[in-house]
């Protein structure tokens, strides 16, 4: 029997996606560089559905119905290129190569163009939800040609998570759009985790609330507007006791956070797009700072904090909840704003309501909030920024007093809250009537004749700083 899809790369994500397809009634051809992994998968899960065992890529390709669909799930970077190189000579016009890893969207754009020139479809899909999601229903963000989605989309939608019966899978745009959207998802994921971490630190170091008690607080928070997967698992992690020591698990884990790259890529791309994703950037930098263990050890010896021993204000736990919610909203607003900027830059027709709808279930940042975000962009009157949507403008305004109290308290106590504070600065920066950018422009004009525009006249100007300081009209040099 011909298989409807082939999967090469059977580490846990690839294996679970293959099982998911099979459990949903598809015949799945399996391939892995070492056959032992294929056999292990078949031994443990072969009964779950219809699989075809293959030992080489040529056998994999031969096992597939046409157009062939081959899903690659190997480590991002050179390994993906190596598989493509081996696969392409075996394929025929119209076949579809799918990269389901966390590839960089520029790689995906390059690969898509190269394969399109050979008459092949290359589809970069963002897959979120971790190992369990891959098996039981991930959120899927497919890019590539629209035509390829006609053949591939129904299968992806079948294995995807569902929210109110709607699959969390939808074509998001051409070439690298799927991987770009997944990358920004991960940027938001970083920020989401960092704001949770800041809330935990404030409650622990500021209010003296231990992990076990905090587990209860996060469980409560998960019942309200913060309801989300990450808040839910925060309660689980904080409530966990280390079996070896009996200590709270969080106290035996080394406090240096790793990263595989997608958060960093989000920030690099945002810098190139000129997109102010300050909360996401701070969360990437917070991980980087946490990893500078030697410098941190020295800093504890040589740097003085002059913390003020202030008592946390009454109602602090609720204040922290509100500050967390407001900062989280800002991260989502910044991520979605960046998607808007990327759509213009890369010619993608990214629909923010549809992207929010994909994130409502299956993915790591799934949250109640995303249904509201989807609705905010669903109408004809799309907000230029998520925070301008009436529902969110009202929600964040309600949180501002608590947010300011929390940031002020954190500063006084010397508890770093980079995302709480930078998100508040973004919010204030957006709202401010006059920004000191006017002075920046003056300085740039003085030292580099970079010119400026006036508030009271059209045109571009330069002041003759080295001469009589008169003003002349100039060519805009930005
Ligand atoms: C997901 C996750 C997943 C993974 C990333 C981030 O959506 O399922 O984002 O892709 O957790 O690799 O990992 P790092 O924190 O290591 O960058």
């Amino acid at each position: 029997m011909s298989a409807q899809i082939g999967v090469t790369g059977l580490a846990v994500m690839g294996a679970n996606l293959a099982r998911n397809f099979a459990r949903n009634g598809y015949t799945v051809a399996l391939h892995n560089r070492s056959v032992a992994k294929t056999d292990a998968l078949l031994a443990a899960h072969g009964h779950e559905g219809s699989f075809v065992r293959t030992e080489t890529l040529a056998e994999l390709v031969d096992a597939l119905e046409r157009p062939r669909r081959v899903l690659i799930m190997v480590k991002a970077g050179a390994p993906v290129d190596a598989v493509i190189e081996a696969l392409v000579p075996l394929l025929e016009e119209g076949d579809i190569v799918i990269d389901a890893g966390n590839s960089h969207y520029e790689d995906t754009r390059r690969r898509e163009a190269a394969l399109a020139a050979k008459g092949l479809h290359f589809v970069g899909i963002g897959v979120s939800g971790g190992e369990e999601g891959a098996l039981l229903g991930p959120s899927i963000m497919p890019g590539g040609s629209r035509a390829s989605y006609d053949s591939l989309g129904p299968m992806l939608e079948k294995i995807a998570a569902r929210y109110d019966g709607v699959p969390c899978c939808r074509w998001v745009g051409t070439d690298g759009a799927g991987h770009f959207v997944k990358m920004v998802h991960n940027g938001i994921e970083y920020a989401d985790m960092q704001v949770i971490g800041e809330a935990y630190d404030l409650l622990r170091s500021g209010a003296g609330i231990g992990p076990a008690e905090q587990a209860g607080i996060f469980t409560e928070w998960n019942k309200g507007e913060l309801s989300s997967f990450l808040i839910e698992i925060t309660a689980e992690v904080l409530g966990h006791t280390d079996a070896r020591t009996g200590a709270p698990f969080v106290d035996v884990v080394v406090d240096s956070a790793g990263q595989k790259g997608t958060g960093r890529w989000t920030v690099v791309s945002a810098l190139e797009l000129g997109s102010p994703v300050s909360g996401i950037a701070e969360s990437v930098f917070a991980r980087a700072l946490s990893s500078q263990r030697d410098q941190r050890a020295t800093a504890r010896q040589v740097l003085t904090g002059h913390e003020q021993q202030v008592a946390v204000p009454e109602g602090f736990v609720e204040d922290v909840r509100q500050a967390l919610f407001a900062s989280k909203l800002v991260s989502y607003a910044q991520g979605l704003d960046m998607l808007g900027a990327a759509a213009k830059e890369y010619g993608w027709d990214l629909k923010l309501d549809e992207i929010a709808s994909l994130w409502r279930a299956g993915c790591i940042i799934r949250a109640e909030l995303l249904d509201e975000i989807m609705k905010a962009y669903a109408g004809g009157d799309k907000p230029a920024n998520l925070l301008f949507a009436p529902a969110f403008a009202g929600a964040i305004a309600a949180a501002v007093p608590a947010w300011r109290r929390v940031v002020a308290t954190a500063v006084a106590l010397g508890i770093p809250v980079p995302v709480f504070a930078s998100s508040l600065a973004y919010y204030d920066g957006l709202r401010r009537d006059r920004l000191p950018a006017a002075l920046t422009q003056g300085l740039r004009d003085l030292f580099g004749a970079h010119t400026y525009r006036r508030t009271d006249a059209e045109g571009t100007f330069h002041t003759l700083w080295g001469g009589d300081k008169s003003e002349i009209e100039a060519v805009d040099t930005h």
Side-chain angles (χ1 to χ4, degrees):
M1 189 195 335
S2 291
Q4 283 115 339
I5 191 155
V7 177
T8 180
L10 299 176
V12 66
M13 286 297 286
N16 282 2
L17 281 176
R19 290 172 61 197
N20 191 347
F21 279 116
R23 287 163 158 216
N24 276 287
Y26 296 110
T27 297
V28 184
L30 300 173
H31 172 261
N32 194 69
R33 214 165 41 161
S34 82
V35 183
K37 243 187 191 142
T38 311
D39 289 335
L41 171 57
L42 285 169
H45 305 290
H47 62 278
E48 289 176 0
S50 171
F51 294 103
V52 179
R53 176 186 181 279
T54 75
E55 294 194 3
T56 64
L57 279 178
E59 279 181 29
L60 178 79
V61 166
D62 273 350
L64 298 173
E65 67 174 32
R66 291 183 198 172
R68 299 180 182 90
R69 305 175 196 92
V70 184
L71 186 145
I72 303 172
M73 195 49 152
V74 299
K75 202 166 174 311
V80 177
D81 285 314
V83 175
I84 292 173
E85 202 185 322
L87 198 54
V88 162
L90 307 170
L91 298 176
E92 287 171 316
E93 199 167 327
D95 288 349
I96 304 171
V97 178
I98 306 136
D99 173 14
N102 271 333
S103 288
H104 194 285
Y105 68 98
E106 289 288 13
D107 284 338
T108 305
R109 284 162 60 81
R110 168 177 61 77
R111 290 165 184 151
E112 201 272 339
L115 267 65
K118 296 179 196 299
L120 301 172
H121 297 285
F122 184 76
V123 181
I125 64 172
V127 178
S128 178
E131 296 171 14
E132 194 179 286
L135 182 63
L136 303 177
S139 162
I140 306 180
M141 297 147 252
S145 66
R146 187 71 188 82
S148 64
Y149 195 75
D150 292 340
S151 151
L152 180 65
M155 294 180 70
L156 296 178
E157 289 177 19
K158 193 102 183 264
I159 66 155
R162 283 169 187 273
Y163 183 92
D164 276 353
V166 180
C168 292
C169 172
R170 203 162 176 151
W171 181 71
V172 294
T174 52
D175 57 75
H179 277 143
F180 191 93
V181 170
K182 173 61 176 26
M183 177 188 78
V184 174
H185 164 284
N186 281 24
I188 295 173
E189 173 185 306
Y190 276 49
D192 254 355
M193 284 193 272
Q194 176 62 25
V195 289
I196 288 172
E198 290 175 19
Y200 155 73
D201 201 8
L202 284 161
L203 295 183
R204 184 108 192 243
S205 315
I209 303 172
E213 197 181 332
Q214 284 202 40
I217 291 173
F218 277 93
T219 301
E220 273 310 301
W221 288 359
N222 197 37
K223 293 176 187 158
E225 61 192 356
L226 279 174
S227 171
S228 60
F229 171 67
L230 284 169
I231 294 282
E232 178 191 324
I233 63 170
T234 299
E236 189 176 339
V237 172
L238 288 176
H240 183 54
T241 301
D242 176 49
R244 279 204 232 175
T245 59
F249 167 75
V250 73
D251 286 349
V252 301
V253 177
V254 173
D255 60 344
S256 298
Q259 48 182 312
K260 292 197 194 74
T262 44
R264 187 172 59 237
W265 296 346
T266 309
V267 179
V268 171
S269 168
L271 290 171
E272 282 164 1
L273 291 166
S275 199
V277 295
S278 49
I280 296 172
E282 287 292 357
S283 61
V284 175
F285 293 143
R287 289 197 192 187
L289 186 145
S290 76
S291 299
Q292 294 189 322
R293 296 184 58 75
D294 290 347
Q295 284 200 43
R296 289 173 55 202
T298 310
R300 284 196 290 277
Q301 306 298 324
V302 302
L303 301 180
T304 308
H306 291 293
E307 291 88 351
Q308 299 160 14
Q309 297 309 318
V310 295
V312 299
E314 206 171 309
F316 191 62
V317 174
E318 172 57 13
D319 277 1
V320 170
R321 189 194 68 78
Q322 291 190 26
L324 168 49
F325 181 67
S327 306
K328 181 183 169 90
L329 274 186
V330 167
S331 304
Y332 281 68
Q334 292 179 344
L336 292 166
D337 189 47
M338 176 176 172
L339 288 178
K344 282 195 200 113
E345 175 71 19
Y346 297 110
W348 295 324
D349 184 20
L350 299 181
K351 298 199 168 54
L352 299 185
D353 55 335
E354 292 181 3
I355 290 168
S357 88
L358 300 184
W359 292 346
R360 290 181 301 173
C363 67
I364 303 296
I365 66 168
R366 61 189 183 261
E368 286 292 319
L369 184 66
L370 281 156
D371 196 43
E372 283 301 314
I373 294 178
M374 184 199 78
K375 288 178 188 149
Y377 286 106
D381 196 11
K382 303 206 185 304
N385 183 304
L386 176 68
L387 301 180
F388 305 162
F392 291 109
I396 202 160
V400 167
W403 200 5
R404 291 198 193 287
R405 278 193 296 273
V406 167
V407 171
T409 306
V411 170
L413 291 173
I415 300 171
V417 285
V419 179
F420 277 19
S422 69
S423 305
L424 183 55
Y426 172 85
Y427 182 77
D428 285 334
L430 269 181
R431 290 176 48 256
R432 203 150 169 86
D433 183 27
R434 292 279 295 158
L435 288 170
L439 176 57
T440 306
Q441 287 297 83
L443 298 173
R444 292 176 68 235
D445 190 56
L446 187 150
F447 68 68
H450 291 298
T451 74
Y452 52 90
R453 283 175 290 125
R454 296 187 57 94
T455 57
D456 56 359
E458 286 298 311
T460 304
F461 301 92
H462 168 57
T463 291
L464 300 171
W465 296 99
D468 64 358
K469 294 199 172 43
S470 61
E471 183 176 75
I472 58 169
E473 288 223 36
V475 178
D476 190 353
T477 61
H478 301 289

